[in-house]
Each structure stands twice: as C-alpha cells, then as structure tokens.
Amino acid sequence: MSFIRVQGLKSLQGKIEIQGSKNAVLPIMAAALLHKGMAVIKNVPRIQDVFCMLEILKALGCSYQFEGHELTLDTRDLCSYKVPEREGRQMRSSVMLLGPLLGRLHQAWTCYPGGCVIGKRPIDLHLSALEKLGAKIEPKEDGIFVTGERLSGTDVHLLFPSVGATENVLMAGAAARGTTRIFGAAKEPEIQTLCDFLNRLGAKVCGIGTDVLTVEGKNTFQDVEFTVPGDRIVAGTYLGAVMAAGGEICLTGVPVRHMEGTLDVVRKTGCQVEAWGEEIRAFMRGRPLPVQVCTGPYPEFSTDLQSVMLSVAAVAEGNSQIQENVFEERFATGKELQKLGTQIIIKDRTAFVTGRYPLKGGEVYALDLRGGAALTVAGLAAEGESRIHGCFYICRGYEDICRDLSAVGARVSMEEE
Ligand code: EPZ
C-alpha cells in the first residue's frame, strides 16, 4: 500500500498542465461501443478508472492501443454483453455501459456498480428511463439484466438531473428508433462533451447545454477522432492548493469556459484569478477569506470540489459554511481533517468550519477520490509532515497528484508503506 507524504508550509510557484477529464472520457469510452469500428480518443488521462474501463471493454471483446494520452479503440469484435463483476464493482461508471450495450447488442448485464462511498447512489433513474425507451429490466440478486430489441425513442422526464442517467439515456436514444427527448437533463460540461462525441459519431443530438436534449436515433455510425477536454475538477483541486498554501500558479489545458462558477467562488476567498483561453493564473497572498458555498447540479458549484473547499475553509480567516446538496454522505473527509486540527461541525447537509493556520501535520486516510485529494491540499497548509493513506482512491482520478504539485514546488511524494 502506498501513502502520500507532504511537508507543509511552502508556498507554490510554477505551472501545471491539466490532464484530460475523467468524467468526460469514461462515458465517451462507453459510447464508442455504439459503433462497430474505430475510435481515436486524444488527451485521455492515464488514471485507474480509465484502465478499469479498458479492462471491461476488453472483456466485452474490444481491443485497444493506449500510448501516451492517445487511445485507439477497436469495437468491431464486441461479442459479450456481460460487464465483468470485478471491474464493474470498482467504479460507478460501469453502469454507463447499459445504454450502449442495449443500443448495439440489445442486451446488457452489469453488477450493481461500485465507486466512492459518498451516498446511496441508486440507479433507479437510469433504469426507469431505459424502461421508458422499451427496455426490459430484470433485477437479479447479483446484478441487473436489461434487454430490448431496437428501443423506441420517446419523451423521458428525469426527476433529478442525474449525470449518469442523462448519459445512459443519450447513448441508448442514439441507437433507438425515432426521437428521444430528455427533459430535466443534466447540463454538466461532461454531458456537453458526450453530446459532441455522439454527434461526431454520426448521431444527431440537439439542445446541448440545456436541460432538454433531443436525440434522433441512428442505426449506423462512423469512425471518430475526438479530443477530451481538460479536467475541470483537477484544475479546481490545484486552485484549492494555491488558496491553502499561497503563492502563484499557472494552469494550462483548462476548459475555462466551464469553470466560471468555480472561479467566482475562488475569487471570493481573496485569490486573484486571471483566466483566458485554456489558461488560468491564480495568485494568493495570506490566508483565504471564509468560504460560503452550496454545491448543486451544474452550473452550480460542483460537489466534486466540496471536499477541497473544506480544506480551504480549514485555514481560512474566520468561519465558513459549505452546504452539500447532491450527495447525502459526502462530508466524511471532514473527520479526517479534524486529525489535522480542523474545527468542523457537520449539521445535516452543512459543514461549519472555523479556520486556523497553520494546521498540524498528521496521519489521515483517504475515504474517497476527491476527499483524498482534499487531504493532500490540507497537508500543504499543515506544520510538519502529513501522511495521506489510501492513495489508490486518489489514483482513480488523478494521473499523478504528486508530480503535478511538485511541479509548483510542493514537497510531496508517493511512498510505499
Ligand atoms: C457523476 O456521478 C460523476 N461521476 C461524479 O463524480 C459527480 O459527483 C456526479 O456526477 C455529480 O456531478 C462520473 O461522471 C463518473 P448523479 P453520477 O447520477 O452520475 C442521485 C468524482 O469524484 N441518483 O448525477 O453517479 C445520486 O444518489 C465523481 O469524479 C439517484 O437517486 O452522479 C446522487 O445523490 C464522484 N438515482 C445524485 O442523484 C439515480 O438513478 C447525483 O448523482 C442516479 C442518481
């Protein structure tokens, strides 16, 4: 097992090239199954969840080449509809294969998906939407079997703008007969990117960026070449690092157009931010001002940056309030931050944090992907050495958080227990 060792209290200076987006590339890899052919996907991050998805696609009969950040997927020999259980349990994204497998093979089997322990994370919205398209859902003890000859496009109303459910319906609708309209669709940038990919594949998706998406079903698609945008959550994580540690950093390869809401919150902490094209410069002197933020579906502040903002609030000058409105159990990292001296009270869906500086170094445990990254950020503002255990969570979504933070002068390294 490995852990991240952090020597705190050194301000940051330098440049980080932001990796490709995990939450954009995973649905794109699943959507590639709709087409019997080749997909060349660029700027793919070398993260555990991508390797896990590749294992699943290989088990389904696909082949691939993954060199550097370029992935070539060959889906011509897709022959199985059964998502392997071991990989399926490792991440939530396995559920996203239901739509494309239904579209291509008219049947799909997957175990109940795994992933971070941040809430119940049911898949009822996915299943009821697929059923509306004509799929037959057969829940079994150890998984779900979904069948349906060519699905029929129809109107689908999502009771909550679920990212995954929107993605599943988009992919199933792309191969259905007729037109599917999704009302109450999620508007996250990753949805917009998936729509762009589906259109490049030969589908016809309209309403991109709105909460009403229209998909005209097709029965043939084409080879595609596509570049994944930068990861806005990884970029937000490193903005949290400079807010907590101080200094001046430059992030490149960033989808600035998708980060306006994030940058508004960053600026309110007293961090000076300049953003243009695909570059962000952030300059932080002294401690952050208190954080007042509510997470919510895009374009509200991302739930995936909630834990990072806990770490920023931990060293802010005053009392902060952070409300989590997407997942019902996403404050677990708060307890780990208390081991570094953070004063935090959780009441219902709100964290009340009294900032102090510096924190004190200690041993903490990553409990989920973004929580682990947040603990690393907190270590930058702690006196002495901190150790963050459970790095495998962090490696699921961050290509190399130690490489990136070391590039701006942080004293961090990943070591074996
Ligand atoms: C995606 O998860 C992301 N994961 C999450 O990022 C992100 O936090 C989340 O969207 C919200 O933005 C990927 O894209 C791989 P949801 P997803 O369906 O699709 C409830 C990270 O750290 N819900 O929008 O699972 C659910 O319980 C990860 O990168 C149902 O009730 O999120 C949650 O409370 C963590 N029934 C809320 O909706 C359903 O059928 C949002 O879930 C589906 C969801």
Side-chain angles (χ1 to χ4, degrees):
M1 300 282 274
S2 49
F3 67 92
I4 291 177
R5 182 200 302 270
V6 185
Q7 291 292 348
L9 307 189
K10 184 170 182 293
S11 65
L12 306 182
Q13 185 81 34
K15 184 181 283 193
I16 305 173
E17 169 72 24
I18 296 298
Q19 69 183 57
S21 166
K22 166 178 89 78
N23 292 350
V25 74
L26 292 172
I28 283 172
M29 292 168 74
L33 290 180
L34 288 167
H35 171 50
K36 181 182 174 79
M38 308 295 287
V40 176
I41 309 169
K42 298 182 176 181
N43 197 28
V44 176
R46 299 188 74 86
I47 55 176
Q48 284 311 309
D49 274 11
V50 164
F51 294 118
C52 182
M53 183 63 91
L54 287 172
E55 282 306 301
I56 292 174
L57 297 179
K58 194 165 77 174
L60 297 176
C62 301
S63 56
Y64 68 85
Q65 273 190 318
F66 190 17
E67 282 155 23
H69 293 101
E70 183 165 310
L71 171 64
T72 302
L73 273 179
D74 181 345
T75 66
R76 285 172 296 184
D77 298 333
L78 173 71
C79 56
S80 169
Y81 63 86
K82 289 191 171 183
V83 175
E85 179 161 5
R86 191 169 72 91
E87 289 76 13
R89 287 204 186 288
Q90 281 180 30
M91 60 180 189
R92 169 87 177 172
S93 304
S94 49
V95 73
M96 265 179 244
L97 289 153
L98 291 178
L101 285 173
L102 264 179
R104 176 87 178 270
L105 300 180
H106 309 305
Q107 55 187 346
W109 161 272
T110 185
C111 58
Y112 293 103
C116 290
V117 187
I118 53 178
K120 285 192 289 296
R121 305 189 82 178
I123 56 171
D124 55 317
L125 298 177
H126 296 245
L127 300 179
S128 52
L130 292 175
E131 207 163 29
K132 197 83 192 298
L133 290 172
K136 185 164 176 275
I137 311 292
E138 298 176 53
K140 309 283 185 194
E141 198 177 310
D142 52 352
I144 307 150
F145 184 45
V146 185
T147 56
E149 278 317 304
R150 193 145 185 238
L151 301 179
S152 303
T154 183
D155 287 357
V156 171
H157 293 261
L158 291 178
L159 298 178
F160 178 87
S162 155
V163 171
T166 303
E167 289 164 344
N168 246 331
V169 180
L170 274 169
M171 294 186 278
R177 183 182 297 108
T179 300
T180 299
R181 293 190 300 176
I182 308 170
F183 295 90
K187 299 188 286 187
E188 269 69 3
E190 294 75 27
I191 300 283
Q192 300 174 42
T193 303
L194 177 62
C195 293
D196 293 341
F197 179 80
L198 288 171
N199 282 340
R200 197 75 63 78
L201 206 58
K204 194 165 176 346
V205 184
C206 302
I208 298 174
T210 75
D211 61 355
V212 180
L213 294 172
T214 303
V215 197
E216 264 179 54
K218 302 282 182 199
N219 48 25
T220 56
F221 298 96
Q222 62 199 11
D223 286 0
V224 62
E225 186 166 308
F226 193 83
T227 299
V228 175
D231 193 311
R232 64 189 175 106
I233 305 303
V234 170
T237 303
Y238 298 151
L239 290 173
V242 75
M243 285 191 274
E248 182 173 2
I249 63 171
C250 173
L251 305 179
T252 57
V254 186
V256 171
R257 67 195 181 290
H258 291 147
M259 293 191 69
E260 289 314 323
T262 305
L263 298 182
D264 287 347
V265 171
V266 171
R267 290 189 175 101
K268 284 183 182 139
T269 69
C271 185
Q272 292 172 41
V273 176
E274 289 167 12
W276 66 91
E278 297 216 321
E279 193 163 309
I280 292 179
R281 280 184 187 281
F283 175 61
M284 186 75 189
R285 186 196 302 277
R287 291 167 63 182
L289 297 172
V291 174
Q292 308 297 334
V293 73
C294 295
T295 70
Y298 191 86
E300 292 174 56
F301 189 78
S302 172
T303 175
D304 293 343
L305 288 173
Q306 179 254 95
S307 301
V308 168
M309 293 313 287
L310 279 185
S311 294
V312 174
V315 294
E317 271 190 291
N319 299 326
S320 299
Q321 269 185 251
I322 298 172
Q323 194 178 77
E324 170 57 55
N325 296 314
V326 179
F327 289 102
E328 67 277 14
E329 283 161 35
R330 201 167 195 174
F331 281 132
T333 302
K335 288 210 181 323
E336 293 303 305
L337 284 170
Q338 285 174 330
K339 296 177 187 174
L340 302 181
T342 302
Q343 296 175 48
I344 182 169
I345 296 168
I346 309 288
K347 197 169 174 341
D348 299 330
R349 287 206 170 210
T350 303
F352 299 89
V353 188
T354 303
R356 61 169 281 185
Y357 185 85
L359 298 176
K360 56 186 174 55
E363 306 263 357
V364 287
Y365 290 80
L367 302 169
D368 64 71
L369 158 55
R370 306 303 175 182
L375 291 169
T376 308
V377 166
L380 298 175
E383 195 160 26
E385 178 177 292
S386 298
R387 293 187 176 196
I388 295 92
H389 301 273
C391 294
F392 58 90
Y393 281 115
I394 303 173
C395 298
R396 283 190 49 210
Y398 292 80
E399 198 169 72
D400 189 338
I401 195 168
C402 292
R403 172 201 68 194
D404 291 346
L405 290 174
S406 301
V408 290
R411 294 172 296 202
V412 293
S413 55
M414 193 172 283
E415 306 188 15
E416 287 311 308
E417 296 282 5

